[in-house]
């Protein structure tokens, strides 16, 4: 099973990604986590990424696509995977289609977690207080929402016109949302 999980920052993608990948026994690929771990390693790549992450801006497509090409070629992806945080632009989505074609693969499904914006800002604020994630401050969070609206929301449209998309209501407990996602995916291979 090869999945893409879409949704705005604060929608609960990361939490749901962990549960869904456990449920289906597939690899969890989080670009946000890959980038945060590059930043904390202090590598040259990490230094480059840090300035984008700290401002809540997107890392340039070329960089992200190279990272994903490497990641998707790793062995653990053979059993299937869930992409969390990628693609975040239409160009990334088109690049993903190309990468998968090279591997002779297709996406099984795309899930979009839907949450209203006022709820998102409140959730990100609480998460920032709890985790100290440097991009969860009010200013950066609202920038991430703007970036999402202008650059990432069009990715849903891209998939509506190709793979198809399952929109899942992201309000409710973690378990409730998870049940909805699993139900939406149960007919997919
Ligand atoms: P969120 O909680 O906003 O979903 P993530 O943990 O997925 O955040 O990503 C954090 C940051 O990492 C983003 O704000 C962005 O700077 C960078 N990033 C993650 N994935 C991508 C991507 N596919 N393209 C560009 N930048 C990305």
């Amino acid at each position: 099973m090869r999945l893409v999980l879409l949704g705005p920052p604060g929608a609960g993608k990361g939490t749901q990604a962990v549960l869904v990948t456990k449920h289906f026994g597939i690899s969890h690929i989080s670009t946000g986590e890959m980038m945060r771990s590059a930043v904390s390693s202090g590598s040259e790549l990490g230094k480059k990424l840090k300035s984008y992450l700290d401002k809540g801006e997107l890392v340039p497509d070329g960089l992200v696509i190279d990272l994903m090409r490497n990641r998707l070629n790793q062995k653990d992806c053979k059993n299937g995977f869930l992409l969390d945080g990628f693609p975040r632009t239409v160009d990334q989505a088109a690049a993903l289609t190309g990468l998968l074609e090279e591997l002779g693969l297709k996406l099984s499904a795309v899930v979009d977690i839907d949450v209203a914006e006022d709820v998102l800002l409140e959730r990100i604020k609480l998460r920032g207080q709890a985790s100290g994630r440097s991009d969860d401050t009010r200013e950066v969070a609202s920038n991430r929402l703007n970036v999402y609206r202008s650059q990432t929301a069009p990715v849903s449209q891209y998939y509506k016109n190709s793979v198809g998309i399952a929109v899942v209501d992201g309000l409710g407990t973690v378990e409730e949302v998870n049940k909805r996602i699993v139900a939406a995916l149960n007919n997919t291979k």
Side-chain angles (χ1 to χ4, degrees), residues 57-129:
E57 279 166 15
L58 292 185
V59 171
D61 283 342
L63 259 175
V64 185
I65 292 164
D66 281 349
L67 277 175
M68 285 307 292
R69 180 180 294 108
N70 283 330
R71 186 64 189 86
L72 288 173
N73 274 298
Q74 284 169 27
K75 260 215 297 284
D76 65 311
C77 291
K78 292 234 157 63
N79 291 329
F81 52 77
L82 178 150
L83 304 182
D84 161 14
F86 179 88
R88 248 184 170 86
T89 64
V90 170
D91 283 350
Q92 290 181 17
L96 174 62
T97 305
L99 287 176
L100 292 175
E101 258 165 29
E102 283 169 28
L103 296 168
L105 299 173
K106 276 202 164 102
L107 288 176
S108 318
V110 178
V111 175
D112 193 355
I113 306 180
D114 183 36
V115 178
E117 280 208 12
D118 49 340
V119 178
L120 295 174
L121 277 171
E122 190 56 29
R123 283 189 187 174
I124 296 173
K125 193 175 85 189
L126 291 175
R127 182 172 70 184
Q129 287 163 357

Side-chain angles (χ1 to χ4, degrees), residues 26-58:
I26 56 180
S27 291
H28 176 194
I29 303 180
S30 158
T31 43
E33 271 173 26
M34 285 165 71
M35 288 176 195
R36 279 190 290 279
S37 87
V39 170
S40 50
S41 80
S43 66
E44 279 312 306
L45 173 68
K47 282 181 201 147
K48 225 191 265 176
L49 298 178
K50 186 175 186 325
S51 62
Y52 296 102
L53 266 69
D54 283 351
K55 285 184 245 156
E57 279 166 15
L58 292 185

Side-chain angles (χ1 to χ4, degrees), residues 142-159:
S142 89
N143 191 35
R144 275 156 62 211
L145 273 178
N146 287 334
V147 168
Y148 172 81
R149 247 184 262 117
S150 62
Q151 312 230 57
T152 308
V155 172
S156 305
Q157 199 56 46
Y158 175 92
Y159 285 123

Side-chain angles (χ1 to χ4, degrees), residues 169-185:
D169 179 4
L171 270 194
T173 64
V174 168
E175 290 75 24
E176 281 164 350
V177 177
N178 186 244
K179 275 195 189 136
R180 291 177 201 139
I181 296 177
V182 170
L185 289 174

